[in-house]
Amino acid sequence: MASFVEKKVIEIIAEQAILDVSDVSLDASLEDLGIDSLGLVESIFAIEEAFDITVPFNANEPEKSDFDISSVAAIVRAVEGLVAGQAA
Amino acid sequence: MKRVVITGAGTINALGQDVAQTLAAFREGRCGISALDFRDVDRLSIRIGGQVHGWDAETHFNRQQIALYDRFTQFTLLAAGQAIRQSGLNFDGELGYEAGVVLGTAGGGVNTWDENYRVVYEEGKNRVHPFVVPKLMNNAAASHVSMEFNLRGPSFTVATACASSNHAMGQAFHMIRGGATKVMVTGGSESMLCFGGVKAWEGLRVMSRDACRPFSANRNGMVQGEGAGVFVFEEYDHARARGAEILAEVVGFAMTSDASDIVMPSKQGAARAMAGALRDAGIDREKVGYINAHGTGTAANDKTECAAVADVFGHHADTLMISSTKSMHGHLIGGTGAVELLACIMALREGVIAPTIGYQEPDPECALDVVPNEARTAPVEVAMSNAFAFGGLNAVLVLARA
């Protein structure tokens, strides 16, 4: 069953992509979903707000960021890590 | 030098959400000033304004657009769309490479500043939405107009407080007259009717609590408005060749700086701007039938402006008509000259002079024909639009009947 984090992240991404949550698959990349660079920073803002976390993401160097955004699944894993780190 | 004409007009302001509604209000002498309606208005001592009520952004823009458009940008896009549609121009071809957009605003995205200062200062949050900067920047409106309509020529934003849109339209005029481009989208917008915006103005102690009564002896200050006015300026031959309807011709423009005081107006600076605009137009002063005054309703502006008009026009000052439509739509600050240009166009096209409403008592220091309270019918060949900004920066346009 999908974790709470997975469900919430998919909701946020679906809202940005103006898609139904059922159309956001875990292996899709943000590009596949039609989310551009502005949509990405808006998604990260929404994730930070939803989980009260700080996402280590610099839009100048997205590829060098510690936060893996290569797919929806990668984002979910990264957020789970940040949420767990916060609880610890 | 090329001739420059106006082939499209659009607006949203407290009097209406298009040009037709606005001109109808001018003819009726209707007041758009009302009780302000926004968060924390009860903490203000000034609670009236020319606010645009019933504005529903969602009927005009989608969610992603709204995330990027401050209220001043929303107003600008609406007005620009109306103007461009009226002009009948399309910028998808070659014309798009030279046509540009130059707009005036004093404050830019004031609502965005206000909302996000609340978030970090009042609510104590440490995170703001990622689009705060692209929403609040003063050139956001001009940039979104350029993107929406494919305007790829000279484009920028002018900020000279209350003269911003006159300065902007003057730049557009110069660019077409000088041959740099055939078409410019130009005008201005403002939206600072929010708690922080009005609170800042309260500090100056120049705001009226009850009404804007320009030139009336019992006037007690200015009333702020909001909205946008946008026009299509086009090279005359280009407009004629395609059979466009010409609303008016822009014939002169001048700008001066008082170089004296950051808030007090100067008779000499205002007079030099009006005289300069007439010289630029090559038009005899007796030809001017109507002046849309800066007419803020403050003691300082109105008597200085009337004295400047008397200096420039001599005996003709007693014959011409001068009115302040700020009495109806309020002072739109950086967008005010653009909305007021509509009154000049109405005078030239329809021979209807918009009144100065709220006028109750003659002031010997403003002893001109201020068209009190009721619109008047009279043929007008040439009209002048004044804007005299805080900081002593003056910009005056002269229009002629097409």
Side-chain angles (χ1 to χ4, degrees):
Chain A
M1 211 179 99
S3 70
F4 168 72
V5 170
E6 179 179 315
K7 203 164 159 254
K8 189 73 203 167
V9 167
I10 287 178
E11 269 175 30
I12 288 167
I13 289 172
E15 198 190 342
Q16 270 307 314
I18 319 180
L19 290 170
D20 195 86
V21 287
S22 62
D23 294 328
V24 177
S25 70
L26 281 168
D27 57 355
S29 71
L30 296 182
E31 205 181 347
D32 294 336
L33 299 169
I35 292 178
D36 62 7
S37 62
L38 281 182
L40 171 60
V41 290
E42 246 197 318
S43 303
I44 288 173
F45 169 71
I47 287 168
E48 290 184 326
E49 289 283 285
F51 299 102
D52 195 20
I53 54 175
T54 300
V55 173
F57 175 81
N58 184 339
N60 296 303
E61 309 179 291
E63 67 289 345
K64 287 189 191 163
S65 167
D66 291 334
F67 189 75
D68 186 355
I69 53 160
S70 57
S71 69
V72 175
I75 295 172
V76 170
R77 274 196 306 277
V79 173
E80 281 171 343
L82 288 167
V83 171
Q86 185 188 46
Chain B
M1 287 209 297
K2 310 287 189 187
R3 290 172 67 184
V4 181
V5 294
I6 303 175
T7 55
T11 189
I12 174 167
N13 61 77
L15 297 173
Q17 300 199 0
D18 60 29
V19 171
Q21 289 173 26
T22 303
L23 297 191
F26 283 170
R27 282 186 220 103
E28 294 160 18
R30 179 152 53 81
C31 186
I33 293 165
S34 64
L36 289 171
D37 177 20
F38 51 71
R39 186 172 167 184
D40 288 340
V41 72
D42 55 315
R43 286 180 55 206
L44 293 170
S45 56
I46 304 301
R47 296 182 190 175
I48 58 164
Q51 190 176 9
V52 173
H53 294 294
W55 170 247
D56 182 14
E58 288 179 4
T59 63
H60 301 279
F61 309 108
N62 67 36
R63 189 177 55 93
Q64 285 167 307
Q65 290 172 319
I66 291 168
L68 279 164
Y69 299 168
D70 180 90
R71 192 170 164 94
F72 94 106
T73 297
Q74 296 174 15
F75 289 162
T76 309
L77 282 164
L78 183 88
Q82 293 169 0
I84 291 168
R85 273 194 301 281
Q86 182 179 23
S87 76
L89 286 167
N90 180 296
F91 303 103
D92 292 341
E94 281 297 308
L95 186 61
Y97 286 99
E98 63 176 88
V101 48
V102 53
L103 296 171
T105 186
V110 176
N111 277 277
T112 299
W113 284 107
D114 199 51
E115 283 159 21
N116 287 282
Y117 275 148
R118 272 184 195 283
V119 168
V120 292
Y121 293 144
E122 186 177 316
E123 295 163 25
K125 291 179 72 168
N126 276 329
R127 186 185 298 129
V128 296
H129 191 277
F131 302 164
V132 174
V133 168
K135 267 178 94 168
L136 64 78
M137 60 192 191
N138 280 26
N139 60 308
S143 295
H144 283 296
V145 169
S146 79
M147 288 182 264
E148 184 69 24
F149 299 102
N150 200 35
L151 303 164
R152 294 163 183 253
S155 299
F156 55 97
T157 293
V158 177
T160 50
C162 315
S164 301
S165 51
N166 269 20
H167 274 110
M169 294 187 288
Q171 295 312 300
F173 170 58
H174 279 170
M175 278 188 267
I176 297 171
R177 189 166 72 169
T181 171
K182 291 189 187 67
V183 176
M184 289 295 289
V185 174
T186 187
S189 61
E190 202 73 71
S191 176
M192 46 174 84
L193 294 180
C194 56
F195 177 74
V198 176
K199 183 56 78 181
W201 278 97
E202 271 182 20
L204 267 171
R205 308 292 200 277
V206 295
M207 306 282 281
S208 170
R209 288 162 196 263
D210 57 358
C212 176
R213 306 183 188 286
F215 311 118
S216 186
N218 63 341
R219 66 189 179 275
N220 59 7
M222 53 179 276
V223 173
Q224 205 174 135
E226 66 173 353
V230 180
F231 300 89
V232 174
F233 281 18
E234 184 171 355
E235 198 257 305
Y236 173 73
D237 291 331
H238 188 267
R240 233 177 63 141
R242 65 188 189 88
E245 185 185 9
I246 293 171
L247 305 180
E249 179 168 359
V250 188
V251 291
F253 174 63
M255 37 191 169
T256 63
S257 170
D258 298 344
S260 63
D261 192 277
I262 197 67
V263 291
M264 289 303 287
S266 139
K267 181 179 83 165
Q268 202 204 36
R272 285 193 302 121
M274 286 187 272
L278 288 174
R279 210 164 40 241
D280 186 50
I283 280 178
D284 193 64
R285 62 187 181 180
E286 269 80 33
K287 283 263 165 48
V288 176
Y290 171 61
I291 299 175
N292 185 285
H294 191 56
T296 56
T298 61
N301 175 83
D302 294 1
K303 66 182 182 193
T304 306
E305 185 169 12
C306 288
V309 168
D311 277 7
V312 171
F313 289 90
H315 290 307
H316 183 59
D318 298 325
T319 312
L320 57 76
M321 295 169 282
I322 176 169
S323 73
S324 170
T325 50
K326 286 185 178 76
S327 54
M328 293 180 269
H329 49 63
H331 190 337
L332 277 77
I333 317 294
T336 210
V339 171
E340 291 165 26
L341 203 69
L342 293 168
C344 291
I345 293 173
M346 183 172 83
L348 296 169
R349 268 170 75 80
E350 302 178 22
V352 177
I353 315 302
T356 303
I357 69 163
Y359 186 87
Q360 293 174 330
E361 288 174 38
D363 177 352
E365 288 195 274
C366 303
L368 300 175
D369 178 0
V370 300
V371 196
N373 300 319
E374 281 179 26
R376 201 178 301 160
T377 311
V380 173
E381 294 286 331
V382 177
M384 173 179 273
S385 183
N386 286 346
F388 309 130
F390 273 179
L393 310 183
N394 312 302
V396 174
L397 286 156
V398 179
L399 302 189
R401 190 154 70 190

